[in-house]
Amino acid sequence: MPPRRTGNDYMDVDSDSDVSILDEFEQTTKAKAKGKGKAIDRSKPSKGKSKAKEQPYAWEASYTRSWDTVREDETGSLQGAVQDLIARGRRRRLLAPAAAIRRSIIRHLVLVLDLSTSMMDRDMRPTRFDLMLQYAREFVTEWFDQNPLGQIGVVGMRGGVGERIGEMSGNPQDVLKCISERHKLEPSGDPSLQNAIEMARSSMSHLPTHSSRELVIIFGSLTSCDPGNIHDTLEECVKDRIRISIVALAAEMKICRELCDKTGGMFGVAMNEGHFKDLLFELIPPPAQRALARTGGGGVSNPAADLMMMGFPTRLPNTSPPSLCVCHSQLKSEGFLCPRCLAKVCDVPTDCDICGLMIVSSPHLARSYHHLFPVKPYQPVTSLEETPYADSKCHACAAPFPSNPTQVPGTATEGMSLLGRYRCPDCHHVFCTDCDVFIHDVVHCCPGCGK
Amino acid sequence: MDKPSHLSVVVDLSPSQWHLCGQSSNSHPLPLSAFLSQLLAFLNAHIACNDENTLSVYGALPGKSILLYSSATAVPEEFTGPADPNTYRPFEVLDSTMMNSISDRVEALTDLEQEPPIGLVGALTKSLCYINRMSNASSTSTAAGGVQGPVVLPDPRILVVSVSPDESSSYIPIMNSIFSAQKLKVTIDVCKLYGPESVFLQQAAHLTGGSYIYLERPDALLQYLTMAFLPPPAVRQLLSVPTQDKVDFRAACFCHKNIVDIGFVCSVCLSIFCQPVPVCSTCRTKFPIKTLQRLNASKPAAPAPRTPAPTPPATSLPRSQSIGTPRSSMGNGLVAPSPSRNGTSLPPR
């Protein structure tokens, strides 16, 4: 299920925040302010940090009220306005610069989960903890879908120490299994950022240079209980080219911001449930390697490029005689044979349990190609005159276009078509909003050009 | 078959291939006209199975693809008059809409020396967009308060009727379509009438859980269609429809097009090589010397003779034997991305 389908957009619109989803430019400031408001409610010791800032409170900030941006159309219906909001929210992602040339394909990621008592807070329903687990599972599924050659490990922070929950694994089922049992992850004690980062760092220390090393921290607490100087850890991470991204659930902390900024990661404070999911899912597409090359700066011209040895297994059909697999020791007929040691593994991609060879199948490689050859962004059609194909229907789904332009005030923003039509710069065919998003998010192939 | 289901049919209408297919020198020739009448019978059967069944038919023509028929569009005016009392109205609408649009398009085809490649990718992606819109529309209409909108699509599926050989440049687009079909939970079925086995479509059927059938007797098309492709995927589990067991996912290297068991892959563009190379030929990335030395050292001294794919014992041969053709050439000669060589070495757009 792609993350940006209508259901999620509804969540955005229906969220309990009074902040419109349109004003992305002030997200962080407001998130800060919101965190401040919460901190006062809960009398948590974050006042010292927030006092120094001169930001207005959430209720003083110049926000657009979501109920002001929605206008009824001629027939008195709100549907047009709501759909416009949804379409704009979707399209915003597409406007992100597509300039990144090189992306990490072989990714290694450690997911760090906050399991401290602050995760039992109920400001996100049902609790932060339950929500985090639910989103973490969806994150893992979607992440493996987009990064089939990647690996994920899981580390938890509770009781002042880092706790290894799941080893680095390329199999989504393994990762999902280790975060599936809620009772084993029951929050307790204080979190320790330093301990968790050190643990994650050590588990990635053996990785080859061409793979990206990433940390995604979901952090709900406002304190961290560290045994040493966390700035030393940060230096080490910069040196190891580990990219740290943090999704905070409470408020922005200086050290969190610094961890992300110095390592080239992303930082965000979740304002509500929908926003939490958005922040987390923004970390799914492979990062551009620009930042990595810059921090590299060494004598090696291209530290990120390397040649990898990979095995392409022989697939055993389910009619072959059953035999034991090396990964689970179960009797199965289906499986894949490692080309080097002929061990039988259940699933690819994986590292062979016997000889350590990376085993992939060619569709897995093909699945990553769309990151390398993306579809060109479509141009919004602003007037009907210039259109070479003045069809009345979407070229892809054959849905008729709305005959009259939507008359929502303030619609004429950059990258939005009043007519709901978008044109491919290559084949000049015209597509509707739904197909525009679907083609760029899911299909990665223009129906007009056929490539 | 109590639940409604959606079927998208992609019909390959390559004039030259249909000409070859209909030649009487074939053992079982199937001319286009006979094909269309059998296909229409199948499509009629589909909409007759359930009142709420939906259908869309796409034609893949040389260089383009078109929507031939869609059950979502309004009935044209010429059918609003008094009906022929001997025909069921939906059949009449479907048949004449299809035949009219096909004859329009085929007559519009220009007589070219070289036929442009068939628009199979366009037709596939269009049908995916169509299914996406249908399922989006149904989910929003239910979310908006239980309004009975368009029919929910429980088992969307795509049937590709193919006569053309694989187009190597379309490897990446076809793979992308397959992955989006997986995401939408769309089953892709393939009915190969004529020409060499299509490796891409084999993979499409395998990865989406559909069936790929190479017709041994193209003139018996209707029987294959109704027996294997008419029941929706949920029902097929009980019917033991033939499946593909011999899809091979091994790769061919970009340098010599050899089939490799152990390959060397560029971490930047994922090109596959059979030997450690100092510079990637696709993206011109230079690799560190150290890696080359390490890989050369660890490389097996002599390329070990590749073990033949274990053949299943005769007693448990795939059921496709009975209806599909287990072709001898399907073993190791056909491997996944051998045509991807052209695809990936295209300059990045």
Side-chain angles (χ1 to χ4, degrees), chain B:
Chain B
M1 284 201 208
D2 44 356
K3 275 195 295 181
S5 71
H6 173 81
L7 173 70
S8 281
V9 183
V10 174
V11 188
D12 185 343
L13 291 175
S14 160
S16 57
Q17 295 297 322
W18 273 112
H19 174 70
L20 294 174
C21 182
Q23 272 175 344
S24 47
S25 55
N26 294 339
S27 52
H28 302 285
L30 178 69
L32 183 61
S33 53
F35 160 73
L36 284 176
S37 64
Q38 300 200 20
L39 181 71
L40 285 176
F42 167 70
L43 297 180
N44 287 343
H46 172 75
I47 53 172
C49 273
N50 189 318
D51 240 7
E52 292 172 88
N53 274 358
T54 49
L55 175 71
S56 63
V57 186
Y58 290 85
L61 290 159
K64 63 180 176 184
S65 55
I66 46 155
L67 176 67
L68 295 173
Y69 171 81
S70 151
S71 56
T73 49
V75 178
E77 280 112 25
E78 65 244 42
F79 299 112
T80 46
D84 179 359
N86 293 325
T87 37
Y88 181 49
R89 175 54 73 87
F91 290 175
E92 189 191 345
V93 174
L94 166 69
D95 296 359
S96 35
T97 317
M98 280 247 331
M99 289 315 289
N100 287 345
S101 41
I102 289 181
S103 58
D104 284 355
R105 298 299 171 146
V106 171
E107 274 163 25
L109 284 178
T110 45
D111 208 10
L112 285 179
E113 282 290 305
Q114 184 140 27
E115 210 173 278
I118 202 86
L120 177 67
V121 176
L124 257 184
T125 43
K126 276 180 192 171
S127 50
L128 285 169
C129 284
Y130 185 87
I131 290 173
N132 177 54
R133 176 171 67 91
M134 297 285 282
S135 37
N136 260 351
S138 54
S139 69
T140 46
S141 69
T142 45
V147 186
Q148 196 56 46
V151 206
V152 189
L153 304 168
D155 292 324
R157 62 191 207 270
I158 298 177
L159 169 64
V160 183
V161 184
S162 163
V163 285
S164 302
D166 280 335
E167 195 65 44
S168 62
S169 63
S170 62
Y171 175 66
I172 295 179
I174 288 201
M175 289 312 275
N176 281 336
S177 316
I178 296 174
F179 297 135
S180 30
Q182 278 182 320
K183 273 196 171 179
L184 288 176
K185 301 197 168 57
V186 173
T187 310
I188 299 182
D189 295 316
V190 181
C191 179
K192 186 83 182 157
L193 280 172
Y194 177 77
E197 295 273 359
S198 164
V199 182
F200 297 169
L201 294 177
Q202 274 182 342
Q203 297 203 24
H206 175 78
L207 291 172
T208 56
S211 18
Y212 173 98
I213 299 183
Y214 189 101
L215 300 197
E216 211 172 339
R217 293 277 308 265
D219 50 343
L221 171 73
L222 185 57
Q223 186 168 2
Y224 288 98
L225 288 176
T226 41
M227 299 311 284
F229 297 119
L230 188 60
V235 181
R236 281 191 217 166
Q237 291 168 354
L238 312 169
L239 288 182
S240 42
V241 168
T243 50
Q244 269 291 305
D245 274 340
K246 294 202 174 173
V247 189
D248 197 339
F249 287 116
R250 264 170 313 170
C253 71
F254 287 22
C255 39
H256 306 96
K257 292 191 179 169
N258 291 336
I259 301 151
V260 287
D261 275 336
I262 300 180
F264 299 90
V265 178
C266 168
S267 73
V268 176
C269 64
L270 301 179
S271 312
I272 305 162
F273 304 99
C274 57
Q275 300 273 336
V277 289
V279 178
C280 171
S281 58
T282 310
C283 65
R284 304 264 159 239
T285 309
K286 292 191 177 67
F287 302 120
I289 298 290
K290 250 196 289 180
T291 327
L292 291 181
Q293 287 166 346
R294 182 169 51 81
L295 290 180
N296 270 323
S298 64
K299 201 166 67 99
R306 217 173 31 66
T307 48
T311 40
T315 48
S316 63
L317 266 179
R319 279 185 300 270
S320 57
Q321 284 248 320
S322 55
I323 181 162
T325 330
R327 305 185 83 74
S328 54
S329 65
M330 264 178 57
N332 304 327
L334 288 168
V335 278
S338 46
S340 79
R341 195 242 180 281
N342 294 337
T344 39
S345 55
L346 285 175
R349 283 175 274 136

Side-chain angles (χ1 to χ4, degrees), chain A residues 80-358:
Chain A
V82 170
Q83 278 178 352
D84 183 61
L85 271 174
I86 293 169
R88 204 179 309 198
R90 281 180 189 168
R91 191 158 170 81
R92 202 177 69 214
R93 293 173 188 277
L94 299 178
L95 295 176
I101 308 279
R102 176 172 296 174
R103 291 177 178 275
S104 319
I105 297 296
I106 318 288
R107 297 174 74 184
H108 288 85
L109 177 135
V110 174
L111 187 61
V112 181
L113 303 176
D114 188 348
L115 300 177
S116 64
T117 43
S118 61
M119 292 305 285
M120 294 313 284
D121 231 319
R122 291 180 177 276
D123 59 346
M124 293 193 183
R125 283 170 293 274
T127 60
R128 286 179 179 179
F129 172 65
D130 285 311
L131 196 69
M132 174 183 75
L133 283 189
Q134 182 199 330
Y135 284 165
R137 282 173 211 139
E138 291 173 24
F139 173 81
V140 167
T141 315
E142 183 67 20
W143 195 89
F144 274 111
D145 196 60
Q146 295 208 17
N147 306 283
L149 300 177
Q151 297 197 6
I152 288 188
V154 186
V155 166
M157 295 187 279
R158 67 176 156 189
V161 293
E163 191 178 319
R164 186 153 315 192
I165 296 173
E167 294 287 338
M168 271 283 180
S169 163
N171 187 343
Q173 297 315 320
D174 290 352
V175 181
L176 287 176
K177 203 173 140 201
C178 69
I179 53 172
S180 64
E181 289 178 53
R182 188 181 179 280
H183 64 93
K184 282 192 185 161
L185 305 170
E186 207 56 51
S188 68
D190 291 317
S192 169
L193 269 180
Q194 191 184 15
N195 281 334
I197 293 176
E198 285 291 349
M199 170 169 279
R201 194 169 71 84
S202 66
S203 69
M204 289 195 284
S205 59
H206 67 283
L207 294 180
T209 49
H210 58 75
S211 65
S212 80
R213 307 169 188 198
E214 291 166 64
L215 267 181
V216 169
I217 305 177
I218 300 176
F219 199 56
S221 172
L222 290 167
T223 54
S224 169
C225 165
D226 294 338
N229 185 356
I230 193 164
H231 289 94
D232 295 343
T233 309
L234 173 57
E235 302 263 301
E236 292 293 317
C237 288
V238 173
K239 210 192 287 172
D240 284 355
R241 300 203 196 98
I242 294 177
R243 191 183 133 108
I244 304 180
S245 299
I246 298 181
V247 177
L249 303 184
E252 176 169 337
M253 283 162 66
K254 174 98 169 57
I255 185 63
C256 295
R257 167 68 74 179
E258 206 173 317
L259 284 171
C260 300
D261 285 352
K262 291 214 169 146
T263 57
M266 302 215 281
F267 179 80
V269 180
M271 294 187 286
N272 52 53
E273 289 88 345
H275 189 226
F276 178 22
K277 186 168 180 179
D278 281 353
L279 284 176
L280 198 59
F281 276 57
E282 268 167 31
L283 301 170
I284 290 179
Q289 283 193 344
R290 229 175 359 195
L292 207 147
R294 194 192 60 221
T295 49
V300 192
S301 60
N302 206 343
D306 206 345
L307 206 55
M308 298 168 292
M309 205 192 314
M310 285 188 190
F312 298 96
T314 312
R315 191 176 73 99
L316 297 179
N318 56 4
T319 43
S320 58
S323 58
L324 292 172
C325 68
V326 295
C327 36
H328 309 96
S329 304
Q330 280 171 358
L331 204 59
K332 283 185 181 174
S333 34
E334 290 167 287
F336 298 87
L337 290 185
C338 167
R340 188 153 70 182
C341 61
L342 292 182
K344 178 173 160 182
V345 294
C346 290
D347 217 349
V348 289
T350 181
D351 287 343
C352 173
D353 287 306
I354 306 296
C355 66
L357 182 71
M358 187 172 186

